[in-house]
């Protein structure tokens, strides 16, 4: 069955695009950041999905007695570190939003643009 | 059975994501993003990525939600959507077309779980084969993270460190910011049940964090996960008892030292390897036998990672919290 083999990738595509929609269409800066982290999570899911092997186990030697087939550990390594880096960069973005709010009194993009133009 | 669970979680992920983006209320969006993180952690677990699932559960569902809430405390939680109709139509078209392209591309991807896929033919088999020989540790993910891709991880630690410095420079020193605020005690002190439950949980969260840190070579875990867990415990303490108490337990000065010393420890292990006649971050020369050297190296750099991640995450939390009633 084709869809069983591919539906993980489709979910990835849908999540990715929901995140992108949030970034483009929403004018609220926090909403944009949420969209960005959604986008990021979709990429994580894509990597982990590609690493999965049918009948495999988590890549830890000796957890099961059977002849070990491991899922690919390399994407897991990349994504593990990427998650922590992701939260750090999100925090950086949020702190900039906080400063924008303090300077402009709003986090809506159109209000900020109007204030910029008025000056 | 697992397949059904998989499909169910995937469906829930899409629904949650749609609700996150469409909700007008930012508070709802942030709480949903916590649920989204838990769901995606469950799906990582089903995809055999135990280490990643642990990280996502601690970082995504725990710390990220708290940070967003901390930022929301400083701004309006209602989203005003005036005059965005045209933009929405255009972005819908862009998004739809891109989705079609990506879905089209998936038909050329190897099937899900196919062991003959190109990704499983390159370096991964070599890693799986050689981690038990070179390092003699069961957790292959930790082996690759700490040793084979040590440069990469060093870079990530410095990115986390830099992000911490960045947040501090943008939001300002938490201690100075706190001097401007009214002196009343905050936190959930007057709420008996959260406080009692939290008090019981915190020691166990820290204990589990330490276990994850020092048992990371044998079971899922390592410095990144442990750092996030310990940071979550301290942040929980700060939420329950007020930030003043939390700053008495771990003062900012200690946090700064933690941030820097972790990154320094990691780099120092690399330089030590260099001085002892090996390459940078080549741990084989650190002890009498190469295997023992690798194990020492991984243990030390994981400690560095844990220190930096804990320090940075707690510092970021304090930076937001101190800003909240300026």
């Amino acid at each position: 069955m084709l869809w069983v083999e591919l539906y993980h990738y489709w979910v990835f595509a849908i999540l990715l695009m929901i995140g992108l929609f949030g970034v483009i269409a929403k004018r609220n800066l926090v909403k944009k950041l949420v969209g960005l982290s959604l986008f990021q999570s979709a990429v994580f899911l894509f990597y982990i999905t590609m690493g999965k092997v049918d009948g495999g186990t988590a890549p830890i030697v000796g957890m099961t007695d059977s002849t070990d087939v491991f899922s690919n550990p390399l994407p897991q390594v990349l994504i593990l570190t990427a998650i922590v880096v992701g939260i750090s960069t999100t925090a950086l973005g949020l702190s900039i939003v906080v400063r924008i709010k303090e300077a402009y009194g709003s986090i809506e993009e159109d209000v900020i643009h109007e204030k910029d133009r008025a000056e | 059975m697992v397949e059904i669970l998989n499909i169910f979680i995937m469906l829930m992920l899409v629904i949650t994501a749609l609700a996150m983006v469409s909700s007008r209320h930012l508070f709802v969006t942030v709480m949903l993003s916590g649920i989204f993180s838990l769901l995606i952690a469950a799906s990582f677990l089903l995809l055999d990525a135990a280490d990643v699932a642990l990280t996502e559960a601690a970082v995504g569902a725990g710390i990220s939600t708290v940070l967003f809430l901390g930022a929301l405390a400083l701004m309006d939680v209602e989203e005003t959507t005036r005059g965005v109709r045209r933009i929405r139509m255009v972005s819908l078209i862009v998004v739809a077309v891109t989705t079609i392209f990506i879905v089209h591309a998936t038909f050329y991807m190897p099937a899900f779980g196919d062991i003959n896929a190109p990704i499983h033919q390159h370096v991964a088999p070599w890693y799986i084969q050689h981690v038990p020989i070179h390092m003699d540790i069961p957790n292959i993910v930790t082996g690759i993270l700490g040793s084979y891709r040590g440069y990469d991880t060093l870079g990530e630690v410095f990115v986390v460190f830099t992000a911490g410095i960045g947040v501090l420079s943008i939001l300002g020193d938490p201690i100075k910011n706190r001097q401007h605020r009214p002196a009343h005690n905050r936190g959930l002190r007057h709420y008996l049940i959260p406080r009692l439950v939290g008090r019981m949980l915190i020691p166990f969260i820290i204990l589990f964090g330490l276990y994850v840190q020092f048992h990371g070579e044998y079971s899922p875990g390592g410095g990144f996960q442990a750092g996030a867990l310990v940071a979550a415990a301290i942040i929980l303490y700060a939420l329950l008892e007020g930030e003043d108490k939390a700053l008495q337990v771990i003062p900012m000065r200690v946090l700064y030292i933690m941030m820097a010393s972790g990154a320094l420890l990691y780099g120092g292990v690399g330089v030590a390897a260099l001085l002892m006649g090996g390459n940078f971050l080549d741990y084989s020369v650190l002890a009498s036998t190469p295997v023992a050297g690798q194990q020492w190296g991984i243990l030390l750099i994981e400690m560095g990672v844990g220190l930096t991640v804990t320090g940075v995450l707690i510092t970021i939390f304090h930076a937001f919290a101190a800003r909240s009633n300026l």
Side-chain angles (χ1 to χ4, degrees):
Chain A
M1 273 204 298
L2 185 64
W3 73 272
V4 173
E5 292 174 349
L6 294 178
Y7 77 92
H8 273 92
Y9 298 130
W10 297 344
V11 170
F12 148 72
I14 294 168
L15 288 180
L16 193 77
M17 286 306 122
I18 294 174
L20 186 65
F21 179 79
V23 175
I24 312 174
K26 297 292 170 179
R27 293 196 158 182
N28 187 293
L29 293 176
V30 173
K31 220 46 184 297
K32 276 183 195 287
L33 274 178
V34 169
L36 211 56
S37 56
L38 207 57
F39 192 91
Q40 185 174 259
S41 295
V43 176
F44 296 164
L45 188 65
F46 181 57
Y47 267 65
I48 302 296
T49 304
M50 286 205 298
K52 167 76 177 166
V53 173
D54 260 342
T57 58
I60 298 171
V61 181
M63 289 284 269
T64 50
D65 301 328
S66 57
T67 49
D68 290 334
V69 180
F70 295 126
S71 285
N72 197 332
L74 193 56
Q76 301 188 9
V77 173
L78 300 178
I79 296 313
L80 198 162
T81 51
I83 289 176
V84 180
V85 169
I87 178 70
S88 313
T89 46
T90 305
L92 199 64
L94 268 179
S95 62
I96 295 173
V97 174
V98 166
R99 290 305 293 261
I100 290 176
K101 161 76 182 168
E102 284 172 3
Y104 288 89
S106 171
I107 50 166
E108 302 287 333
E109 220 176 28
D110 41 348
V111 179
I112 294 169
H113 282 312
E114 265 167 36
K115 286 205 172 165
D116 266 345
R117 251 177 255 123
E119 271 170 20
Chain B
M1 187 57 213
V2 174
E3 203 57 49
I4 295 172
L5 196 58
N6 239 328
I7 295 171
F8 174 71
I9 289 180
M10 290 291 161
L11 215 61
M12 291 293 285
L13 275 176
V14 173
I15 295 171
T16 318
L18 280 175
M20 269 163 74
V21 173
S22 60
S23 161
R24 292 267 177 86
H25 203 275
L26 292 177
F27 186 74
V28 174
T29 302
V30 169
M31 292 325 278
L32 281 172
S33 83
I35 294 173
F36 181 87
S37 286
L38 271 184
L39 282 170
I40 208 167
S43 119
F44 288 156
L45 197 63
L46 288 177
L47 294 169
D48 295 342
D51 286 272
V52 185
L54 190 54
T55 318
E56 176 68 36
V59 168
I63 291 172
S64 154
T65 311
V66 171
L67 280 186
F68 268 105
L69 289 180
L72 279 192
L74 305 170
M75 44 191 83
D76 325 316
V77 289
E78 284 290 339
E79 184 187 6
T80 59
T81 45
R82 13 186 201 112
V84 290
R85 198 183 175 80
R86 201 165 48 89
I87 299 177
R88 205 162 58 208
M89 285 314 293
V90 173
S91 25
L92 263 182
I93 293 168
V94 169
V95 163
V97 171
T98 321
T99 314
I100 291 169
F101 274 125
I102 297 178
V103 169
H104 176 69
T106 60
F107 289 104
Y108 300 91
M109 291 286 290
F112 171 68
D114 182 6
I115 195 157
N116 295 314
I119 183 175
H120 304 306
Q121 309 303 321
H122 193 44
V123 286
W126 191 91
Y127 283 149
I128 292 176
Q129 205 185 345
H130 284 81
V131 164
I133 300 169
H134 285 161
M135 298 156 214
D136 195 22
I137 60 173
N139 190 345
I140 299 170
V141 173
T142 306
I144 299 174
L145 179 95
S147 185
Y148 295 134
R149 297 196 64 91
Y151 274 82
D152 200 13
T153 313
L154 179 67
E156 311 272 20
V157 169
F158 275 106
V159 170
V160 172
F161 178 67
T162 315
I165 303 232
V167 171
L168 278 179
S169 354
I170 294 171
L171 290 184
D173 185 2
I175 295 171
K176 271 186 200 144
N177 283 340
R178 292 172 60 79
Q179 285 165 356
H180 299 292
R181 57 190 278 189
H184 67 273
N185 262 322
R186 284 160 46 82
L188 297 176
R189 280 196 175 191
H190 303 295
Y191 298 85
L192 191 63
I193 292 174
R195 198 176 166 205
L196 280 178
V197 174
R199 271 197 165 173
M200 273 155 60
L201 279 179
I202 289 166
F204 290 106
I205 300 177
I206 294 180
L207 191 66
F208 183 60
L210 290 176
Y211 166 76
V212 163
Q213 169 83 50
F214 292 108
H215 210 255
E217 289 80 29
Y218 296 91
S219 56
F224 286 101
Q225 295 93 324
L229 279 167
V230 174
I234 303 294
I235 290 173
L236 181 62
Y237 183 78
L239 290 176
L240 290 173
E241 304 282 335
E243 288 120 39
D244 302 311
K245 270 262 184 96
L247 280 174
Q248 277 168 17
V249 177
I250 305 184
M252 280 320 288
R253 199 162 16 92
V254 176
L255 288 175
Y256 292 150
I257 293 172
M258 274 170 82
M259 275 167 72
S261 64
L264 208 63
L265 178 61
Y266 199 145
V269 172
V271 175
L274 205 60
L275 291 178
M276 290 169 85
N279 289 321
F280 188 66
L281 289 177
D282 173 14
Y283 316 132
S284 302
V285 293
L286 289 178
S288 49
T289 63
V291 172
Q294 289 285 342
Q295 290 178 346
W296 268 108
I298 292 175
L299 204 67
L300 284 173
I301 64 115
E302 287 278 14
M303 219 138 87
V305 172
L307 275 174
T308 300
V309 171
T310 315
V312 167
L313 290 179
I314 301 176
T315 304
I316 291 175
F317 169 77
H318 280 309
F320 276 99
R323 200 91 192 169
S324 66
N325 40 359
L326 263 179

